[in-house]
Amino acid sequence: MKFKKSFIIILLTLVMLLTSCTLPGIGADTKNDVVIASGSNTEKLILGEIVAQKIKHDTDLKVSMIPNLSSSILNHIAMLKGDVNVVGGMYTGTALTGELGMDPIKDPDEAMKVVQDEYYKRWNRLWYPSFGFANTYAFMVTKEFAEEHDLKKVSDLEKLKGDLKVGVDTAWITRKGDGYKAFQELYGFKFEDIYPMQIGLVYTALATKEMDVVLGYSTDGKIASYDLVLLEDDKKLFPPYDCSPVASVEIARKYPEVNESIMSLVGQISTETMQELNRRADEDLVEPSEVAKDFLEENNYFDNVKIDKNDKIFDRIKEGK
């Protein structure tokens, strides 16, 4: 654990050095304006646009975006440096082992609580309740295969273990903590035929019946395209990666309407909805900004959502530094 913390400190130091100069596109007034960071993959770009367009709809504030910050660490550093004051979407499991330098936590509620508490205590940030979905590793099969073999959870695969062709992300084979070794220890069986491959290829391999089971990401757009079925991780191998927006206490305190705008998105994006939003961008080639716009318009910008004013977010805005 001591080594892990030292590694994280070194990593953060290196990233700070690499980002000591202002990144392209950064330079907005984060004391008075809302500046939102998003990642470089489809999902994070869509979420950044949803948050940005929602705040623009709800307020008269100047809202700008800094897209394509490719990692959770870079989003974190951008907030540390004061270049952004909101991040469109961050994940509990990533933050725990990344910025926080802690061990994974398998219980979703506990993971959320720890991340929210630590982000507030260490950096005076508000880690909001989840949008309503988690993006984690998931075993999946075609709907036809699931019905034929009565498959609902990962444990159900044991009865077929000798006959399955299983495609998995190459990195998962040697991944520590929740990789193949941990899978065998927790579930008590192994697959006779397992094929490491690039994560982007597993869905097509399953749809074309080259594979019977694959390990992919739970919100990938191809899940909706190919009508795939996610198997329940019934023994909780994979840590939770619940997704939430994050904001500085300062911007939420200065503009309560920003806080309420973000809070109205809590619980509004299910796993199936995120799959469909990703599918439209990746498969239909619709720009993330348009995907976000259509989603918000279809839901009337969540104008009538009742916000939980008893959430601890509101207390932290009052008490924060």
Side-chain angles (χ1 to χ4, degrees):
M1 189 63 185
K2 184 176 181 181
F3 172 78
K4 179 185 283 188
K5 288 182 177 178
S6 298
F7 176 77
I8 293 295
I9 292 171
I10 293 170
L11 179 61
L12 288 175
T13 302
L14 287 172
V15 175
M16 289 185 77
L17 288 172
L18 288 171
T19 58
S20 58
C21 296
T22 300
L23 293 171
I26 292 179
D29 179 8
T30 52
K31 295 295 183 184
N32 298 297
D33 303 333
V34 179
V35 187
I36 300 170
S38 71
S40 54
N41 65 24
T42 299
E43 183 164 292
K44 291 181 180 177
L45 288 169
I46 292 171
L47 292 172
E49 286 285 351
I50 287 173
V51 174
Q53 293 182 35
K54 179 73 167 84
I55 294 173
K56 286 180 182 178
H57 171 79
D58 292 342
T59 76
D60 295 323
L61 298 169
K62 182 179 178 181
V63 180
S64 58
M65 278 192 62
I66 307 298
N68 298 316
L69 295 184
S70 59
S71 70
S72 181
I73 290 288
L74 280 177
N75 281 274
H76 169 61
I77 295 299
M79 288 197 84
L80 276 182
K81 294 174 76 263
D83 290 321
V84 302
N85 45 33
V86 177
V87 179
M90 299 186 78
Y91 304 83
T92 51
T94 304
L96 277 168
T97 59
E99 302 92 80
L100 295 174
M102 302 173 74
D103 291 327
I105 297 174
K106 295 296 181 75
D107 179 77
D109 293 336
E110 179 64 17
M112 178 63 74
K113 182 181 183 303
V114 169
V115 170
Q116 287 183 316
D117 290 348
E118 292 297 320
Y119 256 60
Y120 176 67
K121 287 189 295 186
R122 297 191 195 190
W123 301 303
N124 206 36
R125 291 182 205 163
L126 305 173
W127 185 291
Y128 286 83
S130 172
F131 282 115
F133 74 92
N135 188 357
T136 186
Y137 272 132
F139 283 100
M140 56 193 75
V141 295
T142 63
K143 187 175 181 180
E144 178 186 9
F145 196 81
E147 291 174 350
E148 179 183 354
H149 298 284
D150 192 27
L151 301 176
K152 295 181 175 64
K153 54 186 188 294
V154 175
S155 291
D156 293 337
L157 295 174
E158 184 173 8
K159 61 189 177 186
L160 302 172
K161 63 183 180 182
D163 302 316
L164 295 172
K165 291 182 292 183
V166 182
V168 300
D169 180 15
T170 302
W172 183 72
I173 294 291
T174 56
R175 185 179 169 104
K176 294 182 179 179
D178 61 352
Y180 191 34
K181 181 180 178 181
F183 170 86
Q184 294 174 71
E185 293 172 351
L186 183 61
Y187 277 94
F189 67 94
K190 65 179 181 179
F191 301 113
E192 293 301 320
D193 295 306
I194 189 164
Y195 301 87
M197 59 179 65
Q198 292 181 359
I199 189 70
L201 300 178
V202 300
Y203 311 98
T204 304
L206 186 60
T208 56
K209 298 185 178 180
E210 294 178 37
M211 295 291 143
D212 301 309
V213 183
V214 299
L215 183 68
Y217 293 132
S218 61
T219 60
D220 197 288
K222 292 185 177 65
I223 295 170
S225 294
Y226 298 143
D227 197 20
L228 305 181
V229 175
L230 304 185
L231 299 179
E232 178 193 353
D233 180 18
D234 51 307
K235 295 194 176 182
K236 303 291 186 277
L237 170 66
F238 300 115
Y241 287 83
D242 289 285
C243 186
S244 300
V246 175
S248 68
V249 167
E250 292 90 343
I251 200 69
R253 179 187 290 138
K254 182 165 187 173
Y255 300 120
E257 62 269 37
V258 168
N259 178 61
E260 294 200 8
S261 183
I262 295 174
M263 281 293 292
S264 68
L265 292 170
V266 167
Q268 303 301 327
I269 307 176
S270 67
T271 298
E272 293 75 20
T273 298
M274 197 67 242
Q275 289 172 6
E276 177 58 22
L277 296 178
N278 285 331
R279 187 200 64 77
R280 288 199 65 210
D282 288 334
E283 304 295 310
D284 296 345
L285 304 181
V286 179
E287 285 293 326
S289 59
E290 286 300 309
V291 173
K293 178 175 177 288
D294 292 343
F295 169 70
L296 290 169
E297 288 181 347
E298 287 165 7
N299 290 280
N300 297 311
Y301 284 83
F302 302 99
D303 285 342
N304 298 319
V305 169
K306 186 176 180 180
I307 297 168
D308 181 9
K309 293 293 183 71
N310 294 317
D311 192 281
K312 61 185 175 184
I313 290 289
F314 291 90
D315 293 330
R316 287 180 169 174
I317 292 172
K318 295 175 185 176
E319 299 166 358
K321 299 185 283 292

